[in-house]
Coordinates of all heavy atoms in Angstrom, one line a residue:
W1 N 102.7 102.3 94.5 CA 104.1 101.8 94.7 C 104.6 101.1 93.5 O 103.8 100.3 92.9 CB 104.1 100.9 95.9 CG 104.1 101.5 97.2 CD1 103.7 102.8 97.5 CD2 104.6 101.0 98.4 NE1 103.9 103.0 98.9 CE2 104.4 101.9 99.4 CE3 105.1 99.7 98.7 CZ2 104.8 101.7 100.7 CZ3 105.4 99.5 100.0 CH2 105.3 100.5 101.0
N2 N 105.8 101.3 93.2 CA 106.4 100.5 92.1 C 107.0 99.2 92.7 O 107.1 99.1 93.9 CB 107.4 101.3 91.3 CG 108.6 101.8 92.2 OD1 109.0 101.1 93.1 ND2 109.1 103.0 91.9
E3 N 107.4 98.4 91.8 CA 108.0 97.1 92.2 C 109.2 97.2 93.1 O 109.4 96.5 94.0 CB 108.3 96.2 91.0 CG 108.7 94.8 91.3 CD 107.6 93.9 91.8 OE1 106.5 94.2 91.6 OE2 108.0 93.0 92.6
K4 N 110.1 98.2 92.8 CA 111.3 98.4 93.5 C 111.0 98.8 95.0 O 111.6 98.3 95.9 CB 112.2 99.4 92.8 CG 113.5 99.7 93.5 CD 114.4 100.7 92.8 CE 115.7 100.9 93.5 NZ 116.5 101.9 92.9
K5 N 110.1 99.8 95.1 CA 109.7 100.2 96.5 C 109.1 99.1 97.2 O 109.4 98.9 98.4 CB 108.7 101.4 96.3 CG 108.2 101.9 97.6 CD 109.1 102.7 98.4 CE 108.4 103.3 99.6 NZ 109.3 104.0 100.5
F6 N 108.2 98.3 96.6 CA 107.6 97.2 97.2 C 108.6 96.2 97.7 O 108.6 95.7 98.9 CB 106.6 96.5 96.2 CG 105.9 95.3 96.8 CD1 104.7 95.5 97.4 CD2 106.4 94.0 96.8 CE1 104.0 94.4 98.0 CE2 105.8 93.0 97.4 CZ 104.5 93.2 98.0
S7 N 109.6 95.9 96.9 CA 110.7 94.9 97.3 C 111.5 95.4 98.5 O 111.8 94.7 99.4 CB 111.6 94.6 96.1 OG 110.9 93.9 95.1
Q8 N 111.8 96.7 98.5 CA 112.6 97.3 99.5 C 111.9 97.2 100.9 O 112.5 97.0 101.9 CB 112.9 98.8 99.2 CG 113.9 99.0 98.2 CD 114.0 100.5 97.8 OE1 113.1 101.3 98.0 NE2 115.1 100.8 97.2
V9 N 110.6 97.4 100.9 CA 109.8 97.4 102.1 C 109.5 95.9 102.6 O 109.6 95.6 103.8 CB 108.5 98.2 101.9 CG1 107.6 98.1 103.2 CG2 108.9 99.6 101.7
Y10 N 109.1 95.1 101.7 CA 108.5 93.8 102.1 C 109.4 92.6 101.8 O 109.1 91.5 102.3 CB 107.2 93.6 101.4 CG 106.1 94.5 101.8 CD1 105.7 95.6 101.0 CD2 105.6 94.5 103.1 CE1 104.8 96.5 101.4 CE2 104.7 95.4 103.5 CZ 104.3 96.4 102.7 OH 103.3 97.3 103.1
M11 N 110.4 92.7 101.0 CA 111.2 91.5 100.7 C 112.6 91.5 101.3 O 113.5 92.1 100.7 CB 111.3 91.3 99.2 CG 109.9 91.1 98.6 SD 109.9 90.9 96.8 CE 110.6 89.3 96.6
W12 N 112.7 91.0 102.5 CA 114.0 91.0 103.2 C 114.8 89.8 102.8 O 114.3 88.7 102.5 CB 113.8 90.9 104.7 CG 113.0 92.0 105.3 CD1 112.8 93.3 104.8 CD2 112.2 92.0 106.4 NE1 112.0 94.1 105.6 CE2 111.6 93.3 106.6 CE3 111.9 91.0 107.4 CZ2 110.8 93.6 107.7 CZ3 111.1 91.4 108.4 CH2 110.5 92.6 108.6
G13 N 116.1 89.9 102.9 CA 117.0 88.8 102.8 C 117.3 88.2 101.4 O 117.6 87.1 101.3
H14 N 117.1 89.0 100.4 CA 117.4 88.6 99.1 C 118.8 88.9 98.8 O 119.1 89.8 98.1 CB 116.4 89.2 98.0 CG 115.1 88.6 98.1 ND1 114.7 87.4 97.5 CD2 114.0 89.0 98.9 CE1 113.5 87.1 97.8 NE2 113.0 88.1 98.6
G15 N 119.7 88.1 99.3 CA 121.2 88.3 99.2 C 121.8 87.9 100.5 O 121.2 87.5 101.4
D16 N 123.1 88.0 100.5 CA 123.9 87.5 101.7 C 124.3 88.7 102.6 O 125.0 88.5 103.5 CB 125.2 86.8 101.2 CG 124.8 85.6 100.4 OD1 123.8 84.9 100.7 OD2 125.6 85.2 99.5
D17 N 123.8 89.9 102.4 CA 124.1 91.0 103.1 C 123.4 91.0 104.5 O 122.2 91.2 104.6 CB 123.8 92.3 102.3 CG 124.3 93.6 103.0 OD1 125.0 93.5 104.0 OD2 124.1 94.6 102.4
E18 N 124.2 90.9 105.6 CA 123.7 90.9 106.9 C 123.0 92.2 107.2 O 122.1 92.3 108.1 CB 124.8 90.6 107.9 CG 124.4 90.6 109.4 CD 123.3 89.6 109.8 OE1 123.2 88.6 109.1 OE2 122.7 89.8 110.8
D19 N 123.5 93.3 106.6 CA 122.9 94.6 106.8 C 121.5 94.7 106.4 O 120.8 95.6 106.8 CB 123.7 95.7 106.1 CG 125.1 95.9 106.6 OD1 125.3 95.5 107.8 OD2 126.0 96.3 105.8
E20 N 121.0 93.8 105.7 CA 119.6 93.8 105.3 C 118.7 93.4 106.4 O 117.5 93.7 106.4 CB 119.3 92.8 104.2 CG 119.8 93.2 102.8 CD 119.4 92.2 101.8 OE1 118.1 92.0 101.6 OE2 120.2 91.6 101.1
K21 N 119.2 92.8 107.5 CA 118.4 92.4 108.6 C 117.7 93.6 109.3 O 118.4 94.5 109.7 CB 119.2 91.6 109.6 CG 118.5 91.1 110.8 CD 119.3 90.4 111.8 CE 120.1 91.3 112.7 NZ 119.2 92.0 113.7
P22 N 116.4 93.5 109.4 CA 115.7 94.6 110.0 C 116.0 94.6 111.5 O 116.2 93.6 112.1 CB 114.2 94.3 109.8 CG 114.2 93.2 108.8 CD 115.5 92.6 108.8
D23 N 116.0 95.8 112.1 CA 116.3 95.9 113.5 C 115.3 95.2 114.4 O 115.6 94.8 115.5 CB 116.3 97.4 114.0 CG 117.5 98.2 113.3 OD1 118.5 97.5 113.0 OD2 117.3 99.4 113.2
C24 N 114.1 95.0 113.9 CA 113.0 94.4 114.7 C 113.1 92.8 114.7 O 112.3 92.2 115.4 CB 111.6 94.8 114.2 SG 111.3 94.3 112.5
V25 N 114.1 92.3 114.0 CA 114.3 90.8 114.0 C 115.6 90.5 114.7 O 116.6 91.0 114.3 CB 114.3 90.3 112.5 CG1 114.5 88.8 112.5 CG2 113.0 90.7 111.8
D26 N 115.5 89.5 115.7 CA 116.7 89.2 116.4 C 117.6 88.2 115.5 O 117.1 87.7 114.5 CB 116.4 88.5 117.7 CG 115.7 87.2 117.7 OD1 116.1 86.3 116.9 OD2 114.7 87.1 118.4
D27 N 118.8 88.0 115.9 CA 119.8 87.3 115.1 C 119.3 85.8 114.8 O 119.5 85.3 113.7 CB 121.1 87.3 115.7 CG 121.8 88.7 115.7 OD1 121.4 89.5 114.8 OD2 122.7 88.9 116.5
D28 N 118.8 85.1 115.9 CA 118.4 83.8 115.7 C 117.2 83.6 114.7 O 117.2 82.7 113.9 CB 118.0 83.1 117.1 CG 119.2 83.0 118.0 OD1 120.4 82.9 117.4 OD2 119.1 82.9 119.2
T29 N 116.3 84.5 114.9 CA 115.1 84.5 114.0 C 115.5 84.8 112.6 O 115.1 84.1 111.6 CB 114.1 85.6 114.4 OG1 113.7 85.2 115.8 CG2 112.8 85.5 113.5
W30 N 116.4 85.8 112.4 CA 116.9 86.1 111.0 C 117.6 84.9 110.4 O 117.4 84.6 109.3 CB 117.9 87.3 111.1 CG 118.4 87.7 109.8 CD1 119.7 87.6 109.3 CD2 117.7 88.4 108.8 NE1 119.8 88.1 108.1 CE2 118.6 88.6 107.7 CE3 116.4 88.8 108.7 CZ2 118.2 89.2 106.5 CZ3 116.0 89.5 107.5 CH2 116.9 89.7 106.4
Q31 N 118.5 84.2 111.2 CA 119.2 83.0 110.7 C 118.2 82.0 110.3 O 118.3 81.3 109.2 CB 120.1 82.5 111.8 CG 121.0 81.3 111.3 CD 121.9 81.8 110.2 OE1 122.4 82.9 110.1 NE2 122.2 80.9 109.3
S32 N 117.1 81.8 111.0 CA 116.1 80.8 110.7 C 115.4 81.2 109.4 O 115.1 80.4 108.5 CB 115.0 80.7 111.8 OG 115.6 80.1 112.9
M33 N 115.1 82.5 109.3 CA 114.4 83.0 108.1 C 115.3 82.8 106.8 O 114.7 82.6 105.7 CB 114.1 84.5 108.2 CG 113.0 84.8 109.2 SD 112.9 86.6 109.6 CE 112.5 87.3 108.0
M34 N 116.6 82.9 107.0 CA 117.5 82.8 105.8 C 117.8 81.3 105.5 O 118.2 81.1 104.3 CB 118.8 83.5 106.1 CG 118.6 85.0 106.3 SD 117.9 85.8 104.8 CE 116.2 86.0 105.2
T35 N 117.6 80.4 106.4 CA 118.1 79.0 106.1 C 116.9 78.0 106.1 O 117.1 76.9 105.6 CB 119.1 78.6 107.2 OG1 118.5 78.7 108.5 CG2 120.3 79.5 107.1
D36 N 115.8 78.3 106.7 CA 114.7 77.3 106.8 C 113.8 77.4 105.6 O 113.1 78.4 105.4 CB 113.9 77.5 108.1 CG 112.9 76.4 108.4 OD1 112.3 75.9 107.4 OD2 112.6 76.1 109.5
P37 N 113.8 76.3 104.8 CA 112.9 76.4 103.5 C 111.5 76.6 103.8 O 110.8 77.3 103.1 CB 113.2 75.1 102.9 CG 114.4 74.5 103.5 CD 114.5 75.1 104.8
E38 N 111.0 76.1 104.9 CA 109.5 76.2 105.3 C 109.2 77.7 105.6 O 108.2 78.2 105.2 CB 109.2 75.3 106.4 CG 107.7 75.2 106.7 CD 106.8 74.7 105.5 OE1 107.3 73.9 104.7 OE2 105.7 75.1 105.4
I39 N 110.1 78.3 106.4 CA 109.9 79.7 106.7 C 110.0 80.5 105.4 O 109.1 81.4 105.2 CB 110.9 80.2 107.7 CG1 110.6 79.5 109.1 CG2 110.9 81.7 107.9 CD1 111.7 79.8 110.2
Q40 N 110.9 80.3 104.6 CA 111.1 81.0 103.3 C 109.8 80.8 102.5 O 109.3 81.8 101.8 CB 112.3 80.5 102.6 CG 113.6 81.0 103.3 CD 114.8 80.4 102.6 OE1 114.7 79.6 101.7 NE2 116.0 80.9 103.0
K41 N 109.2 79.6 102.4 CA 108.0 79.4 101.7 C 106.9 80.2 102.2 O 106.1 80.9 101.5 CB 107.7 77.9 101.7 CG 106.4 77.6 101.0 CD 106.1 76.1 101.1 CE 104.7 75.8 100.5 NZ 104.2 74.5 100.9
K42 N 106.7 80.3 103.6 CA 105.7 81.0 104.2 C 105.9 82.5 103.9 O 104.9 83.3 103.7 CB 105.6 80.8 105.7 CG 105.1 79.4 106.1 CD 103.7 79.3 105.8 CE 103.2 77.9 106.2 NZ 101.8 77.7 105.8
M43 N 107.1 83.0 104.0 CA 107.4 84.4 103.8 C 107.0 84.8 102.3 O 106.4 85.8 102.1 CB 108.8 84.7 104.1 CG 109.2 84.6 105.5 SD 108.5 85.8 106.6 CE 109.5 87.2 106.1
Q44 N 107.4 83.9 101.4 CA 107.0 84.1 100.0 C 105.5 84.1 99.8 O 105.0 85.0 99.0 CB 107.7 83.1 99.1 CG 107.5 83.4 97.6 CD 108.1 84.8 97.2 OE1 109.3 85.1 97.5 NE2 107.3 85.6 96.5
E45 N 104.8 83.3 100.4 CA 103.4 83.3 100.3 C 102.8 84.6 100.8 O 101.8 85.1 100.2 CB 102.8 82.1 101.2 CG 103.0 80.7 100.5 CD 102.6 79.6 101.4 OE1 102.1 79.8 102.6 OE2 102.8 78.4 101.0
E46 N 103.3 85.1 101.9 CA 102.9 86.4 102.4 C 103.1 87.5 101.4 O 102.3 88.4 101.2 CB 103.6 86.7 103.8 CG 103.1 85.9 104.9 CD 101.6 86.1 105.2 OE1 101.1 87.3 105.1 OE2 100.9 85.2 105.6
V47 N 104.3 87.5 100.8 CA 104.7 88.6 99.8 C 103.7 88.4 98.6 O 103.2 89.4 98.1 CB 106.1 88.4 99.4 CG1 106.4 89.3 98.1 CG2 107.1 88.9 100.5
D48 N 103.5 87.2 98.2 CA 102.5 87.0 97.0 C 101.1 87.5 97.4 O 100.5 88.1 96.5 CB 102.5 85.5 96.7 CG 103.8 85.0 96.1 OD1 104.6 85.8 95.7 OD2 104.0 83.8 96.1
Q49 N 100.7 87.3 98.6 CA 99.4 87.8 99.0 C 99.3 89.3 99.1 O 98.4 89.9 98.7 CB 99.0 87.2 100.4 CG 97.6 87.6 100.8 CD 96.5 87.1 99.9 OE1 96.4 85.9 99.6 NE2 95.6 88.0 99.4
L50 N 100.4 89.9 99.6 CA 100.5 91.4 99.6 C 100.4 91.9 98.2 O 99.7 92.9 97.9 CB 101.8 91.8 100.2 CG 101.8 91.7 101.7 CD1 103.3 92.0 102.2 CD2 100.9 92.7 102.4
K51 N 101.1 91.3 97.2 CA 101.0 91.7 95.8 C 99.6 91.6 95.3 O 99.1 92.5 94.6 CB 102.0 90.9 95.0 CG 103.4 91.3 95.2 CD 104.3 90.5 94.3 CE 105.8 90.9 94.5 NZ 106.7 90.1 93.6
R52 N 98.9 90.5 95.6 CA 97.5 90.4 95.1 C 96.6 91.4 95.8 O 95.8 92.0 95.1 CB 97.0 89.0 95.5 CG 97.6 87.9 94.6 CD 96.8 86.5 94.8 NE 96.9 86.0 96.1 CZ 97.9 85.2 96.6 NH1 98.9 84.9 95.8 NH2 97.9 84.8 97.8
D53 N 96.8 91.7 97.0 CA 96.0 92.7 97.7 C 96.3 94.1 97.1 O 95.3 94.9 96.9 CB 96.4 92.7 99.2 CG 95.9 91.5 99.9 OD1 95.1 90.7 99.4 OD2 96.4 91.3 101.1
L54 N 97.5 94.4 96.8 CA 97.9 95.7 96.2 C 97.2 95.8 94.9 O 96.7 96.9 94.5 CB 99.4 95.8 96.1 CG 99.9 97.2 95.6 CD1 99.4 98.3 96.5 CD2 101.4 97.1 95.6
K55 N 97.3 94.7 94.1 CA 96.6 94.8 92.8 C 95.1 95.0 92.9 O 94.5 95.8 92.2 CB 96.9 93.4 92.0 CG 96.2 93.4 90.6 CD 96.5 92.0 90.0 CE 95.8 91.9 88.7 NZ 94.4 91.8 88.8
D56 N 94.5 94.3 93.9 CA 93.0 94.5 94.1 C 92.7 95.9 94.5 O 91.8 96.5 94.0 CB 92.5 93.5 95.2 CG 92.5 92.1 94.8 OD1 92.5 91.8 93.6 OD2 92.4 91.2 95.7
L57 N 93.5 96.5 95.3 CA 93.3 97.9 95.7 C 93.4 98.8 94.5 O 92.6 99.7 94.3 CB 94.3 98.3 96.8 CG 94.0 98.0 98.2 CD1 95.2 98.3 99.1 CD2 92.8 98.8 98.7
R58 N 94.4 98.6 93.7 CA 94.7 99.5 92.6 C 93.6 99.3 91.5 O 93.2 100.3 90.8 CB 96.1 99.2 92.0 CG 97.2 99.7 92.8 CD 98.5 99.4 92.1 NE 99.6 100.1 92.8 CZ 100.8 99.7 92.6 NH1 101.2 98.7 91.8 NH2 101.8 100.3 93.3
C59 N 93.2 98.1 91.2 CA 92.4 97.8 90.1 C 90.9 97.8 90.4 O 90.1 98.2 89.6 CB 92.8 96.5 89.4 SG 94.4 96.4 88.8
D60 N 90.5 97.3 91.6 CA 89.1 97.0 91.9 C 88.5 98.0 92.9 O 87.4 98.4 92.8 CB 88.9 95.6 92.3 CG 89.3 94.6 91.3 OD1 89.2 94.9 90.1 OD2 89.8 93.5 91.6
I61 N 89.3 98.2 94.0 CA 88.7 99.0 95.1 C 88.9 100.5 94.9 O 88.0 101.2 95.1 CB 89.4 98.5 96.4 CG1 89.1 97.0 96.6 CG2 88.9 99.3 97.6 CD1 89.8 96.4 97.8
I62 N 90.1 100.9 94.5 CA 90.4 102.3 94.3 C 91.1 102.5 93.0 O 92.2 102.9 92.9 CB 91.3 102.9 95.4 CG1 90.8 102.5 96.8 CG2 91.4 104.4 95.3 CD1 91.7 102.9 98.0
P63 N 90.3 102.3 91.9 CA 90.9 102.3 90.6 C 91.4 103.7 90.2 O 92.3 103.9 89.3 CB 89.9 101.8 89.6 CG 88.6 102.0 90.4 CD 88.9 101.9 91.8
S64 N 90.8 104.8 90.8 CA 91.2 106.1 90.4 C 92.6 106.5 91.0 O 93.2 107.5 90.5 CB 90.2 107.1 91.0 OG 90.2 107.1 92.4
G65 N 93.1 105.8 92.0 CA 94.3 106.1 92.6 C 94.2 107.2 93.6 O 95.2 107.6 94.2
D66 N 93.0 107.6 93.9 CA 92.8 108.7 94.9 C 93.1 108.1 96.3 O 92.4 107.3 96.9 CB 91.3 109.1 94.9 CG 91.0 110.2 95.9 OD1 91.9 110.7 96.5 OD2 89.8 110.5 96.0
T67 N 94.3 108.6 96.9 CA 94.7 108.1 98.2 C 93.9 108.7 99.3 O 94.1 108.2 100.5 CB 96.2 108.5 98.4 OG1 96.4 109.9 98.3 CG2 97.1 107.8 97.4
S68 N 93.0 109.6 99.1 CA 92.2 110.1 100.2 C 90.9 109.3 100.4 O 90.1 109.6 101.3 CB 91.9 111.6 100.0 OG 91.0 111.7 98.8
W69 N 90.7 108.3 99.5 CA 89.6 107.5 99.6 C 89.5 106.7 100.9 O 90.5 106.1 101.3 CB 89.6 106.5 98.5 CG 88.3 105.9 98.1 CD1 87.3 106.4 97.4 CD2 87.9 104.6 98.5 NE1 86.3 105.5 97.2 CE2 86.6 104.4 97.9 CE3 88.4 103.5 99.2 CZ2 85.9 103.2 98.0 CZ3 87.7 102.4 99.4 CH2 86.4 102.2 98.8
P70 N 88.5 106.9 101.7 CA 88.5 106.2 103.1 C 88.3 104.7 103.0 O 87.5 104.2 102.3 CB 87.3 106.9 103.7 CG 86.4 107.2 102.6 CD 87.3 107.6 101.4
L71 N 89.2 104.0 103.8 CA 89.0 102.6 103.9 C 88.1 102.3 105.0 O 88.0 103.0 106.0 CB 90.4 102.0 104.2 CG 91.4 102.1 103.0 CD1 92.8 101.5 103.5 CD2 90.9 101.4 101.8
P72 N 87.4 101.1 105.0 CA 86.4 100.8 106.0 C 87.0 100.2 107.2 O 86.5 99.3 107.8 CB 85.5 99.8 105.2 CG 86.5 99.1 104.3 CD 87.4 100.2 103.9
L73 N 88.1 100.8 107.7 CA 88.6 100.4 109.0 C 89.5 101.5 109.6 O 90.0 102.4 108.8 CB 89.4 99.1 108.9 CG 90.6 99.2 108.0 CD1 91.9 99.0 108.8 CD2 90.5 98.1 106.9
N74 N 89.8 101.4 110.8 CA 90.6 102.4 111.5 C 92.0 101.8 111.6 O 92.3 100.9 112.4 CB 90.1 102.7 112.9 CG 90.9 103.8 113.6 OD1 92.1 103.8 113.4 ND2 90.2 104.6 114.4
V75 N 92.9 102.1 110.6 CA 94.2 101.5 110.5 C 95.0 101.7 111.8 O 95.7 100.8 112.3 CB 95.0 102.1 109.3 CG1 96.4 101.5 109.3 CG2 94.2 101.7 108.0
S76 N 95.0 102.9 112.4 CA 95.7 103.2 113.6 C 95.3 102.2 114.8 O 96.1 101.7 115.5 CB 95.5 104.6 114.1 OG 96.1 105.5 113.2
R77 N 94.0 102.1 114.9 CA 93.5 101.2 115.9 C 93.9 99.7 115.6 O 94.2 99.0 116.5 CB 91.9 101.3 116.0 CG 91.4 100.4 117.2 CD 89.9 100.5 117.4 NE 89.4 101.8 117.0 CZ 88.1 101.9 116.5 NH1 87.4 100.9 116.3 NH2 87.7 103.1 116.1
L78 N 93.8 99.3 114.4 CA 94.2 98.0 114.0 C 95.7 97.7 114.4 O 96.0 96.7 115.0 CB 94.0 97.8 112.5 CG 94.5 96.4 111.9 CD1 93.5 95.4 112.3 CD2 94.5 96.5 110.4
I79 N 96.6 98.7 114.1 CA 98.0 98.5 114.4 C 98.2 98.5 115.9 O 98.9 97.6 116.5 CB 98.8 99.6 113.8 CG1 98.8 99.4 112.2 CG2 100.2 99.6 114.3 CD1 99.4 100.5 111.5
T80 N 97.5 99.4 116.6 CA 97.7 99.5 118.1 C 97.2 98.2 118.7 O 97.8 97.6 119.6 CB 96.9 100.7 118.6 OG1 97.4 101.9 118.1 CG2 97.0 100.7 120.1
N81 N 96.0 97.7 118.3 CA 95.5 96.4 118.8 C 96.5 95.2 118.5 O 96.7 94.4 119.4 CB 94.1 96.1 118.3 CG 93.1 97.1 118.9 OD1 93.3 97.7 119.9 ND2 92.0 97.2 118.2
A82 N 97.0 95.2 117.4 CA 97.9 94.1 117.0 C 99.2 94.2 117.9 O 99.7 93.2 118.4 CB 98.3 94.2 115.5
Q83 N 99.7 95.4 118.1 CA 100.9 95.6 118.9 C 100.6 95.1 120.3 O 101.4 94.5 121.0 CB 101.4 97.0 118.9 CG 102.0 97.4 117.6 CD 102.3 98.9 117.6 OE1 101.6 99.7 118.1 NE2 103.4 99.2 116.9
R84 N 99.4 95.5 120.8 CA 99.1 95.1 122.2 C 98.9 93.6 122.3 O 99.4 92.9 123.2 CB 97.8 95.8 122.6 CG 97.5 95.7 124.1 CD 96.2 96.5 124.5 NE 96.3 97.9 124.0 CZ 95.4 98.5 123.3 NH1 94.2 97.9 123.0 NH2 95.5 99.8 122.9
M85 N 98.2 93.0 121.3 CA 97.9 91.6 121.3 C 99.2 90.7 121.3 O 99.3 89.7 122.0 CB 97.0 91.2 120.1 CG 96.7 89.7 120.0 SD 95.7 89.3 118.6 CE 94.3 90.3 118.8
F86 N 100.2 91.2 120.4 CA 101.4 90.4 120.3 C 102.5 91.0 121.1 O 103.7 90.6 121.0 CB 101.8 90.4 118.8 CG 100.8 89.6 118.0 CD1 99.9 90.3 117.1 CD2 100.7 88.2 118.1 CE1 99.0 89.6 116.4 CE2 99.8 87.5 117.3 CZ 98.9 88.2 116.5
Q87 N 102.2 91.9 122.0 CA 103.2 92.5 123.0 C 104.4 93.0 122.2 O 105.5 92.7 122.6 CB 103.6 91.5 124.0 CG 102.4 91.0 124.8 CD 102.7 89.9 125.8 OE1 103.8 89.3 125.8 NE2 101.7 89.5 126.6
V88 N 104.2 93.9 121.2 CA 105.2 94.5 120.5 C 105.3 96.0 120.8 O 104.3 96.7 120.8 CB 104.9 94.4 119.0 CG1 106.0 95.1 118.1 CG2 104.9 92.9 118.5
S89 N 106.5 96.4 121.2 CA 106.7 97.8 121.5 C 107.4 98.4 120.3 O 108.2 97.7 119.6 CB 107.4 98.1 122.8 OG 108.7 97.5 122.7
G90 N 107.1 99.7 120.0 CA 107.7 100.3 118.8 C 109.2 100.2 118.8 O 109.9 100.6 119.7
G91 N 109.8 99.7 117.7 CA 111.2 99.6 117.4 C 111.9 98.5 118.2 O 113.1 98.3 117.9
A92 N 111.3 97.8 119.1 CA 111.9 96.7 119.8 C 112.0 95.5 119.0 O 111.1 95.2 118.2 CB 111.2 96.5 121.1
G93 N 113.0 94.7 119.2 CA 113.1 93.4 118.5 C 112.0 92.4 119.0 O 111.4 92.6 120.1
T94 N 111.7 91.4 118.2 CA 110.8 90.4 118.6 C 111.5 89.1 118.9 O 112.6 88.9 118.6 CB 109.7 90.1 117.5 OG1 110.4 89.7 116.4 CG2 109.0 91.4 117.2
S95 N 110.8 88.2 119.6 CA 111.4 86.9 120.0 C 111.0 85.8 119.0 O 110.1 86.0 118.3 CB 111.0 86.5 121.4 OG 109.6 86.4 121.5

């Protein structure tokens, strides 16, 4: 992924455009995300960690860039379990 694609996927709310709000985030949560400095700090920490993880994947774990390289986990099961644990249904907003 390039920096632009990464930003489009993971960095929400960089601007005043309400259309940037993802469908999965309700209005009150979005407002908090945009105005609460502590939430913004935590979100930035998450983005920074994602960038470090991506760098580790590219440079240390899969330096060849071969996307067919198997990861040591079942991603589908991980996502399904997280959705079940946090009671998230596909496409529905969160509280």
Side-chain angles (χ1 to χ4, degrees):
W1 279 21
N2 61 36
E3 186 69 28
K4 182 178 179 181
K5 174 78 172 171
F6 182 91
S7 294
Q8 288 173 339
V9 173
Y10 294 108
M11 298 179 71
W12 301 334
H14 288 273
D16 298 326
D17 188 1
E18 176 66 20
D19 292 335
E20 287 188 56
K21 181 179 82 66
D23 293 336
C24 63
V25 178
D26 66 49
D27 291 336
D28 291 336
T29 302
W30 183 252
Q31 187 62 32
S32 294
M33 289 170 62
M34 296 299 99
T35 58
D36 186 325
E38 188 61 29
I39 292 174
Q40 291 175 350
K41 179 182 174 195
K42 290 290 185 188
M43 296 290 287
Q44 186 59 51
E45 289 171 0
E46 288 296 322
V47 168
D48 293 343
Q49 183 62 52
L50 286 170
K51 287 181 178 180
R52 287 191 298 273
D53 292 345
L54 185 58
K55 180 182 177 287
D56 288 345
L57 276 171
R58 286 181 174 162
C59 298
D60 300 327
I61 299 171
I62 311 173
S64 68
D66 180 6
T67 58
S68 65
W69 199 81
L71 294 176
L73 62 114
N74 184 325
V75 175
S76 294
R77 186 176 332 144
L78 178 72
I79 292 170
T80 300
N81 289 341
Q83 287 174 326
R84 193 175 309 127
M85 180 184 299
F86 295 106
Q87 300 174 354
V88 175
S89 61
T94 61
S95 58

